[in-house]
Amino acid sequence: MLILVVLLVVPALNLSGMIARRMEIRMAEMGVRKAFGATRGRLLRQIVNENLLFTLLGGVLGLLLAWVVFYAFHTWIFGLVDDSFSFNYNMGFVDAGQRNMLSWEMFFSPALFICVLLFCLVLNLLSALVPAWLSLRKPIVNSMNMKR
């Protein structure tokens, strides 16, 4: 359990640091938007929505990239583990004599993918909310005077 917590906390801290740095770079923009009447809540929603969109796009792109790599290098990937696997492009992995049988369901579970993606979205939300909220609490004058 401790290892699982560490594996979740370290990426969350890294993500919070990256978002905090990005907020420092955008402080002048936020100051101008505050000066023209944008509320903290509106700016916070925009920042959180951007982060959630990036997480969603990253998850889908990662899935597509994993499928492409798996499709292109399936022989090499299974050759590392066991030479008894074969691949049939029409039927997926099939049994060839004494060979092991693998199905596509073993490589992609929509329910598991959605659960993991939702978990990543929640983790991203928590790690984006704190730095954005802290940076938006600064006065407009300090925000507009920030140097890039």
Side-chain angles (χ1 to χ4, degrees), residues 1-14 119-120 123:
M1 188 66 167
L2 180 64
I3 292 172
L4 182 62
V5 169
V6 168
L7 289 174
L8 295 176
V9 168
V10 170
L13 290 175
N14 285 336
F119 181 76
C120 289
L123 189 63

Side-chain angles (χ1 to χ4, degrees), residues 101-119:
M101 176 100 162
L102 297 174
S103 66
W104 285 108
E105 292 82 23
M106 292 178 180
F107 296 100
F108 176 67
S109 169
L112 181 62
F113 175 74
I114 290 171
C115 288
V116 169
L117 188 61
L118 287 175
F119 181 76

Side-chain angles (χ1 to χ4, degrees), residues 75-116:
T75 306
W76 177 73
I77 292 170
F78 285 115
L80 293 173
V81 178
D82 190 0
D83 290 333
S84 66
F85 294 104
S86 67
F87 186 74
N88 182 330
Y89 289 99
N90 297 326
M91 299 176 64
F93 290 92
V94 294
D95 190 11
Q98 292 293 336
R99 295 184 177 199
N100 297 317
M101 176 100 162
L102 297 174
S103 66
W104 285 108
E105 292 82 23
M106 292 178 180
F107 296 100
F108 176 67
S109 169
L112 181 62
F113 175 74
I114 290 171
C115 288
V116 169

Side-chain angles (χ1 to χ4, degrees), residues 63-83:
L63 178 65
L64 293 176
L65 183 63
W67 280 347
V68 168
V69 168
F70 179 75
Y71 187 76
F73 299 108
H74 63 275
T75 306
W76 177 73
I77 292 170
F78 285 115
L80 293 173
V81 178
D82 190 0
D83 290 333

Side-chain angles (χ1 to χ4, degrees), residues 10-146:
V10 170
L13 290 175
N14 285 336
L15 189 58
S16 289
M18 289 178 4
I19 293 169
R21 175 67 181 139
R22 196 170 66 188
M23 288 304 301
E24 285 178 18
I25 293 171
R26 295 180 66 184
M27 282 307 294
E29 171 196 344
M30 296 300 157
V32 169
R33 292 187 63 197
K34 281 184 194 177
F36 280 106
T39 62
R40 284 184 196 161
R42 182 175 178 93
L43 294 174
L44 188 62
R45 278 191 304 275
Q46 177 194 1
I47 293 164
V48 169
N49 287 339
E50 286 175 7
N51 284 310
L52 293 177
L53 178 67
F54 287 147
T55 302
L56 184 64
L57 290 175
V60 171
L61 183 65
L63 178 65
L64 293 176
L65 183 63
W67 280 347
V68 168
V69 168
F70 179 75
Y71 187 76
F73 299 108
H74 63 275
T75 306
W76 177 73
I77 292 170
F78 285 115
L80 293 173
V81 178
D82 190 0
D83 290 333
S84 66
F85 294 104
S86 67
F87 186 74
N88 182 330
Y89 289 99
N90 297 326
M91 299 176 64
F93 290 92
V94 294
D95 190 11
Q98 292 293 336
R99 295 184 177 199
N100 297 317
M101 176 100 162
L102 297 174
S103 66
W104 285 108
E105 292 82 23
M106 292 178 180
F107 296 100
F108 176 67
S109 169
L112 181 62
F113 175 74
I114 290 171
C115 288
V116 169
L117 188 61
L118 287 175
F119 181 76
C120 289
L121 288 171
V122 169
L123 189 63
N124 189 339
L125 176 67
L126 293 175
S127 60
L129 203 55
V130 173
W133 183 71
L134 290 175
S135 65
L136 290 174
R137 291 187 59 198
K138 295 181 180 177
I140 294 174
V141 176
N142 292 350
S143 299
M144 292 180 70
N145 286 330
M146 291 293 290

